[in-house]
Amino acid sequence: MATRAGTRHRFVTAALAAPAALWMLVFLVLPFVAMLVFAFGRRAPEGGYLPGFTFEQFLNLPARAAAFGNTLMLAPAGALLCLLVAYPVAYYLAVKAAPRHRLVLVSLIVVPFWTSLLVRTYAWMYILGSRGLPNLLSTIGLPDLRMLNTPGAVLVGIVYGYLPLMIMPIYVSLEKLDRRLLDASADLGARPVSTFLGITLPLSLPGVMTGVALVTILLLGEYLIPQLLGGGKVFFIGNALVDLFLQSRNWPFGSAIAVTLVLVVVVVLTVAMRIAWRFAGTRRVDLV
Amino acid sequence: MTAAAVNDIEFRSVSKRYGEVLAVSGIDVAVPKGAFVALLGPSGCGKTTCLRMIGGFEQPSEGTVLIDGQPMNGVPPYRRPVNMVFQHYALFPHLDVEANVSYGLRQRRPRIERREVAKRTAQALELVRLGGFAKRRVHEMSGGQQQRVALARAIVNRPAVLLLDEPLAALDRKLRTAMQIELQSLQRELGITFLLVTHDQEEALSMSDYVCVMNAGQIVQMAPPQEVYDRPRTLFVADFVGKTNRLSGTVEAGGTTLRLGDGRALPVVAQTPGAVTAVLRPEAIRLDRGECSERMDALGGTVTHRIFLGNAVEYAVAIDGLGEMLVTADRSAARDPAEPGERVNLSFKPESLLVFPA
Amino acid sequence: MSKLPEKPISAEALTAQFMRLKRGSVSRRHFLGVTGLGLATAVLGRTGSFSLEAHAQDLGSQMSLATWPNYHDPASFEAFTAKTGVAVEVNVFGSNEEMLAKLQAGGTGWDLFVPTNYTISTYAKLKLIDPLDLSKLPNYSAKTETARFTQEGVIDGQTYAVPKNWGTTGMAINTDKLKTPVTSWKDFFELAQTEADGRAMVHDYQLTTIGSALVSLGYKFNSVDPAELAKAEELLVKVKPHLFAINSDYQPAMRATDAWMTMCWTNDGAQLNRDMPEIAFVLGKDGGEIWSDFYAIPSSAANKAAGYALLDFLMTPENAVKEHIANGAPTTDSRVLALLPTEVTSNKIVYPDEAALTPLEFGAAVTLTDPARAEVMARFKAA
């Protein structure tokens, strides 16, 4: 009887997991395997892929060192900048805002997501272009500034585009925070800044880490924002990949870069999370 | 700080309003130094609001709270010489026991030397008998242990006043009794003022030097526990601090006779004549087995229920023409207890009858 | 299109811009570079009547065209739909390389597309296009076409593609902003690092960007010589920090005066100059590209009948002339030339003097397939 129940339980578990597993197999594992196979092949004369086994593509990787460097710098930098902007917003929403306003305010954060990022980024082209902000600033006597197609513009776009993804996890972890802990900290003589650094911040770290990891991972594959707001000059690995597949038609090299990017992402995130947890303290943070 | 201050805490016409709701209404009260005071009242009576005003988490809408003679208007919590033991403890989940307890010391400016912090922390943990638990995580500890961590975390700062917000509410009965004793001896040992908020009258009566009974935002009575119990100032206090039997009637001219609705006359200690509600504690009633007498001041009836309480026996007695009354009898006095259905006679001393104007 | 007002763009204007962008009627390679996967598509001209011709059933109700943005008169498609009942889905692309990449990957669903002269031999070699059945194109007239612009559509005597229009790749200069005259690619790359610092654009397109850099160094536009390519790469990487953008969609930036100077195709040059006379279109004295774009039918086309029908429709001079007036590119067909108004035919941007065309070169097939040129471009962008 017990074994039959156990078998059924296992069957149910397997049935529930099957769609996800199938999905992962078809859309994650198989493409990755295909990419891996391509990465060791050669480019056909007119472009595309010729079967083969060569490390040529991986030996060519240094030709994209700058793009890798940019990506590995700008993705975490963008995520950190996002964090700096997002944290006060999330803090306000979760801690300071009146509960009856909260739903409206949170909706306001989410609503822009209903519009395509492409359109919203396109709007930034107009805002940062000569007729936008620089024009406005020149009317108050500032010299002619060029904002569009600069690294700054890319960062603005990134922060704007990814802000909600950073705000939400931080908001959730701050909202769960027991307010009595803040009272307790104040009661024990901690000034507001000490309470924030000693209690609020460490207890919201799970949300912070989720947000930073999420935004960093997505940024490592970012393509649209640097293309539109960086003028094709501030170059992410994502742009390099598009070039290789859609212009140079060099599938093997593109695959080699993609495989490398995946490996770099895994390594960087693992290391970063380790460091972050150590930084957060040796003790595990248990909420819930 | 003025050493001359006699009172650790003083409320001067303190009111607290939340919008339309008056949570605390014009309270004047003083807590003498070194006393163990229980703030007792039903939920929503304003007792926690009072505590939070002392802690600095709420500001009075009117009036002044003084701590050690100093007015505290506008002083933030972190500058007040008081510490609180929070309901459900509010321990920091990301810190271990030691870090929780030393938290307050580490906030001091100028900084306290690390070794000194460690020493005082260890002392505090010793004091609450948690010597070996310094490196434990708080969620690994039982409710009683967490309670003691919360205590240690507060007293390590040597506050002038320790505020305790329903500190024992989350503990089971046995542990609660043990902690009551522990708290009491801790207070003696430290010699600092304890102000404890509770809705449990037994807790308030058993631990404190003074019980301060609150109702609807006002202090109804502040007195030693025995006095509150034996001589409640109002019907509310009488009801709240113990079990009661209520009798409605009129005190006749002369003030020594209480005439009940059914014509029965009971002797009372001199009272102002008029309509009254009289209260009789169950343990002040004497129960005798046997057929009742015909005297007008006699309360004859039939036992309807008998509840065994361990150390005592409680009877519900249906008084002829008057309704049900509770009677508590010592077990020693009830070796041979009355059975349900049995006829009994109830009697009491006139001074046991507490009389309040209706 | 009127000159845009000198003020920040309004919400309505942005929306309008975006909608036009979605229809593929404005802004060249840009969006499309951005979307990459041909996202910016839309079905045009569903408003047609239902009084269809006899063969309508054979054509189906829908077809797909791959072309360049800003390259057609939307009214042409509306008229075609009204005539045949076939709705035209327009996919717009950023470069010939991108079109080739799509066709190589397969599954495009295109029934007609617009490749540039130098790519046709490669498409034919890879069997991505078949010879056209000219009997299905009664309105195409080989004898009125200019041989110079049609020859690359014919391989071994078989016609694989018929010309849409020709054009040049020159420079668009905002003369209000830049006072130094620009007459050559050498001037262009010098000015990009000095007076036009931060305001110059080059194409996101290996043929023209590398080609023009080679020309400025005195080499051939189509060179695949490793040493010469290395020099060109060196120049491009040196200029890169001074560029406003590497983007084939330069019209918006030029119109907004974010950019003051750009590599520019004839048709865009004509459009810019028409709306903003201060933007001049200049051909390099030292060389540059002359090109013609063709129509071809992919061998993988699902609805070839509709592809032929639209192609024949666009080859009809009365229809073609509207296309030319709209997109500003010069015609290859003398029948169409005769119908064009004089203000178009006398426009020196559209129809330059023959002498100005002499130093220009047609793109060579080898540049499309040469891995070194592709990699030089990709490295320049990734530098």
Side-chain angles (χ1 to χ4, degrees):
Chain A
M1 208 48 207
T3 34
R4 250 178 69 195
T7 311
R8 179 182 295 174
H9 181 255
R10 253 188 313 232
F11 175 75
V12 168
T13 309
L16 286 173
L22 194 67
W23 180 272
M24 296 286 271
L25 182 73
V26 172
F27 293 105
L28 200 76
V29 178
L30 292 182
F32 189 80
V33 170
M35 226 162 56
L36 210 57
V37 171
F38 281 1
F40 290 99
R42 288 198 174 84
R43 180 186 191 266
E46 286 83 20
Y49 163 72
L50 274 188
F53 187 79
T54 167
F55 288 97
E56 191 187 312
Q57 312 304 342
F58 290 95
L59 295 176
N60 275 339
L61 282 177
R64 295 297 183 278
F68 269 109
N70 280 344
T71 307
L72 290 178
M73 288 285 288
L74 283 171
L80 285 180
L81 204 61
C82 249
L83 175 63
L84 289 182
V85 179
Y87 202 101
V89 178
Y91 185 84
Y92 175 81
L93 285 178
V95 181
K96 297 285 175 192
R100 70 204 144 91
H101 295 149
R102 225 172 261 165
L103 188 69
V104 176
L105 292 171
V106 171
S107 315
L108 285 178
I109 305 279
V110 177
V111 159
F113 258 85
W114 296 351
T115 313
S116 140
L117 180 65
L118 181 67
V119 179
R120 286 181 289 138
T121 306
Y122 208 69
W124 273 107
M125 289 180 66
Y126 285 93
I127 294 171
L128 298 174
S130 288
R131 301 258 180 76
L133 216 49
N135 188 44
L136 205 66
L137 292 177
S138 70
T139 59
I140 60 164
L142 283 164
D144 203 8
L145 279 172
R146 192 164 70 79
M147 294 182 174
L148 191 59
N149 294 357
T150 58
V154 174
L155 276 180
V156 165
I158 283 170
V159 169
Y160 172 80
Y162 287 91
L163 200 57
L165 285 179
M166 186 67 88
I167 291 176
M168 281 305 152
I170 300 176
Y171 168 74
V172 168
S173 68
L174 281 173
E175 212 206 7
K176 281 195 302 191
L177 181 73
D178 187 349
R179 301 306 140 80
R180 284 171 306 194
L181 298 181
L182 307 184
D183 281 351
S185 175
D187 182 69
L188 292 166
R191 280 148 193 77
V193 174
S194 306
T195 296
F196 176 78
L197 294 176
I199 307 299
T200 313
L201 189 60
L203 288 177
S204 63
L205 270 184
V208 170
M209 303 233 180
T210 307
V212 169
L214 200 65
V215 171
T216 306
I217 292 170
L218 289 173
L219 276 179
L220 286 171
E222 179 57 44
Y223 159 73
L224 183 86
I225 294 170
Q227 178 67 24
L228 283 182
L229 299 177
K233 291 192 302 167
V234 182
F235 210 78
F236 274 55
I237 273 297
N239 305 72
L241 285 173
V242 169
D243 265 9
L244 284 168
F245 282 99
L246 291 183
Q247 301 266 4
S248 315
R249 305 174 312 289
N250 194 342
W251 296 7
F253 191 30
S255 299
I257 289 178
V259 167
T260 309
L261 179 64
V262 169
L263 293 179
V264 166
V265 168
V266 169
V267 170
V268 165
L269 274 171
T270 311
V271 171
M273 287 320 241
R274 286 268 164 80
I275 293 172
W277 283 120
R278 184 153 306 165
F279 180 73
T282 48
R283 303 161 201 99
R284 206 156 53 94
V285 177
D286 285 287
L287 290 174
V288 190
Chain B
M1 286 190 193
T2 48
V6 183
N7 299 316
D8 257 338
I9 306 271
E10 199 179 334
F11 275 47
R12 288 187 188 157
S13 338
V14 171
S15 294
K16 177 69 186 176
R17 236 175 239 104
Y18 296 104
E20 295 292 295
V21 183
L22 193 59
V24 170
S25 123
I27 282 183
D28 283 283
V29 74
V31 173
K33 269 190 189 301
F36 194 140
V37 175
L39 208 49
L40 175 70
S43 59
C45 72
K47 58 190 190 299
T48 295
T49 303
C50 285
L51 204 67
R52 291 179 62 79
M53 285 193 284
I54 301 169
F57 308 114
E58 309 279 354
Q59 295 293 331
S61 307
E62 281 153 40
T64 308
V65 174
L66 296 94
I67 299 176
D68 202 14
Q70 301 293 313
M72 286 287 132
N73 297 36
V75 177
Y78 52 88
R79 291 223 180 85
R80 297 191 179 206
V82 296
N83 283 115
M84 192 179 310
V85 174
F86 288 82
Q87 203 175 356
H88 308 298
Y89 324 132
L91 297 176
F92 304 128
H94 59 304
L95 303 177
D96 62 17
V97 168
E98 186 180 38
N100 261 283
V101 173
S102 63
Y103 190 88
L105 296 176
R106 288 183 283 121
Q107 301 302 328
R108 295 279 180 82
R109 300 291 179 276
R111 282 182 188 280
I112 303 174
E113 215 188 312
R114 193 177 297 225
R115 220 165 340 130
E116 178 71 9
V117 170
K119 199 181 98 192
R120 284 205 224 166
T121 304
Q123 277 173 354
L125 282 172
E126 225 32 79
L127 203 61
V128 297
R129 301 192 284 112
L130 282 177
F133 292 80
K135 293 297 172 194
R136 285 286 183 95
R137 287 190 220 137
V138 292
H139 61 84
E140 290 173 349
M141 308 186 78
S142 71
Q145 288 170 328
Q146 292 190 15
Q147 165 72 73
R148 289 202 217 125
V149 176
L151 263 175
R153 184 177 72 173
I155 60 176
V156 77
N157 304 297
R158 298 175 187 165
V161 181
L162 184 67
L163 309 171
L164 302 110
D165 188 5
E166 304 268 10
L168 309 177
L171 303 181
D172 61 54
R173 192 184 175 82
K174 203 168 168 192
L175 202 53
R176 195 154 66 215
T177 315
M179 279 307 291
Q180 284 174 4
I181 295 166
E182 239 175 276
L183 275 179
Q184 223 172 353
S185 52
L186 192 65
Q187 195 257 342
R188 303 263 149 77
E189 217 168 311
L190 295 168
I192 62 176
T193 307
F194 275 31
L195 184 58
L196 172 131
V197 158
T198 180
H199 66 272
D200 180 336
Q201 94 278 1
E202 237 179 85
E203 195 170 295
L205 297 177
S206 62
M207 292 161 79
S208 53
D209 302 326
Y210 294 93
V211 176
C212 182
V213 185
M214 282 189 75
N215 186 33
Q218 286 178 312
I219 290 173
V220 192
Q221 184 171 15
M222 178 157 163
Q226 202 138 12
E227 188 179 329
V228 170
Y229 191 84
D230 291 341
R231 290 199 298 283
R233 189 175 290 163
T234 67
L235 189 58
F236 169 80
V237 177
D239 258 345
F240 198 77
V241 298
K243 289 181 177 171
T244 51
N245 293 301
R246 283 193 188 206
L247 301 164
S248 294
T250 314
V251 174
E252 296 191 328
T256 53
T257 309
L258 173 64
R259 180 75 61 189
L260 300 184
D262 65 347
R264 234 183 277 255
L266 301 176
V268 288
V269 179
Q271 294 289 333
T272 318
V276 297
T277 302
V279 165
L280 201 50
R281 297 241 182 255
E283 70 275 11
I285 303 173
R286 187 190 151 106
L287 179 140
D288 294 300
R289 305 172 74 172
E291 200 48 49
C292 57
S293 76
E294 295 299 310
R295 279 172 43 197
M296 279 311 280
D297 61 348
L299 294 165
T302 313
V303 174
T304 56
H305 293 93
R306 189 182 66 190
I307 300 157
F308 178 60
L309 295 178
N311 54 349
V313 179
E314 192 169 271
Y315 299 97
V317 180
I319 307 298
D320 306 334
L322 207 62
E324 203 149 88
M325 283 180 88
L326 281 179
V327 179
T328 311
D330 272 1
R331 276 192 86 185
S332 54
R335 282 260 164 71
D336 184 18
E339 298 295 327
E342 205 176 322
R343 295 289 294 169
V344 290
N345 259 320
L346 304 187
S347 56
F348 57 90
K349 294 179 182 158
E351 58 266 34
S352 307
L353 200 61
L354 310 168
V355 180
F356 304 99
Chain C
M1 202 186 296
S2 65
K3 187 174 172 177
L4 291 171
E6 287 288 338
K7 61 176 183 183
I9 190 159
S10 69
E12 298 87 71
L14 175 65
T15 311
Q17 195 81 349
F18 178 67
M19 291 318 291
R20 294 170 62 212
L21 193 80
K22 282 189 80 172
R23 291 199 309 268
S25 65
V26 285
S27 85
R28 226 182 157 136
R29 297 161 186 206
H30 166 133
F31 227 116
L32 325 161
V34 166
T35 53
L37 303 167
L39 288 172
T41 64
V43 174
L44 274 174
R46 284 200 181 278
T47 51
S49 78
F50 290 94
S51 56
L52 310 176
E53 290 182 357
H55 62 278
Q57 278 79 3
D58 309 329
L59 298 180
S61 62
Q62 195 162 348
M63 66 163 289
S64 174
L65 168 72
T67 183
W68 313 105
N70 223 10
Y71 216 43
H72 297 272
D73 183 354
S76 297
F77 301 121
E78 284 164 26
F80 177 72
T81 306
K83 186 162 170 266
T84 63
V86 180
V88 183
E89 186 195 49
V90 178
N91 300 272
V92 275
F93 283 86
S95 72
N96 280 291
E97 281 74 7
E98 220 179 307
M99 280 189 184
L100 174 57
K102 283 271 163 189
L103 277 176
Q104 277 182 308
T108 58
W110 303 341
D111 301 307
L112 188 64
F113 76 118
V114 186
T116 302
N117 56 292
Y118 72 104
T119 64
I120 292 164
S121 59
T122 304
Y123 283 120
K125 183 183 161 204
L126 294 173
K127 307 232 178 298
L128 293 170
I129 54 174
D130 294 326
L132 292 172
D133 178 356
L134 293 180
S135 70
K136 290 180 180 159
L137 300 172
N139 283 301
Y140 170 65
S141 155
K143 62 179 186 298
T144 56
E145 292 285 353
T146 316
R148 180 189 192 186
F149 300 119
T150 58
Q151 59 196 12
E152 284 185 88
V154 182
I155 299 165
D156 298 334
Q158 287 188 298
T159 303
Y160 279 81
V162 295
K164 168 170 165 46
N165 50 245
W166 66 282
T168 58
T169 306
M171 300 157 249
I173 317 284
N174 186 323
T175 54
D176 276 359
K177 302 287 186 183
L178 295 173
K179 296 304 171 195
T180 311
V182 181
T183 59
S184 66
W185 288 108
K186 194 165 182 297
D187 294 346
F188 179 90
F189 284 106
E190 269 170 24
L191 210 63
Q193 299 171 73
T194 53
E195 197 184 346
D197 192 353
R199 300 290 185 178
M201 291 177 75
V202 299
H203 291 170
D204 184 2
Y205 182 28
Q206 65 82 15
L207 182 73
T208 49
T209 294
I210 297 177
S212 304
L214 284 165
V215 165
S216 80
L217 294 166
Y219 305 128
K220 288 286 182 193
F221 182 80
N222 289 308
S223 174
V224 289
D225 178 88
E228 293 177 6
L229 282 178
K231 288 275 184 200
E233 183 179 355
E234 190 187 318
L235 171 65
L236 288 171
V237 169
K238 187 173 72 150
V239 173
K240 187 184 175 188
H242 302 282
L243 293 175
F244 174 71
I246 303 166
N247 197 327
S248 305
D249 179 28
Y250 41 82
Q251 276 211 36
M254 287 297 287
R255 286 175 188 274
T257 66
D258 277 323
W260 298 343
M261 180 170 83
T262 183
M263 286 181 187
C264 182
W265 287 292
T266 302
N267 45 306
D268 289 316
Q271 288 174 27
L272 284 169
N273 178 260
R274 180 174 62 202
D275 301 334
M276 297 173 73
E278 68 270 29
I279 297 183
F281 180 77
V282 181
L283 291 174
K285 272 187 190 156
D286 44 1
E289 187 198 12
I290 183 168
W291 46 265
S292 51
D293 277 345
F294 287 72
Y295 287 110
I297 295 178
S299 41
S300 60
N303 190 0
K304 285 189 179 153
Y308 274 107
L310 179 60
L311 179 49
D312 192 53
F313 179 85
L314 292 169
M315 283 296 134
T316 311
E318 293 72 33
N319 298 329
V321 74
K322 290 179 192 144
E323 287 279 285
H324 285 283
I325 291 170
N327 90 345
T331 179
T332 58
D333 186 343
S334 59
R335 294 177 304 166
V336 179
L337 191 65
L339 293 173
L340 281 168
T342 28
E343 68 258 31
V344 172
T345 52
S346 65
N347 185 339
K348 289 293 172 202
I349 294 176
V350 186
Y351 294 97
D353 298 330
E354 197 55 39
L357 300 177
T358 314
L360 306 186
E361 297 168 74
F362 278 99
V366 65
T367 62
L368 181 65
T369 51
D370 182 54
R373 278 189 75 124
E375 185 56 13
V376 165
M377 186 64 196
R379 276 205 302 264
F380 157 57
K381 285 174 71 186

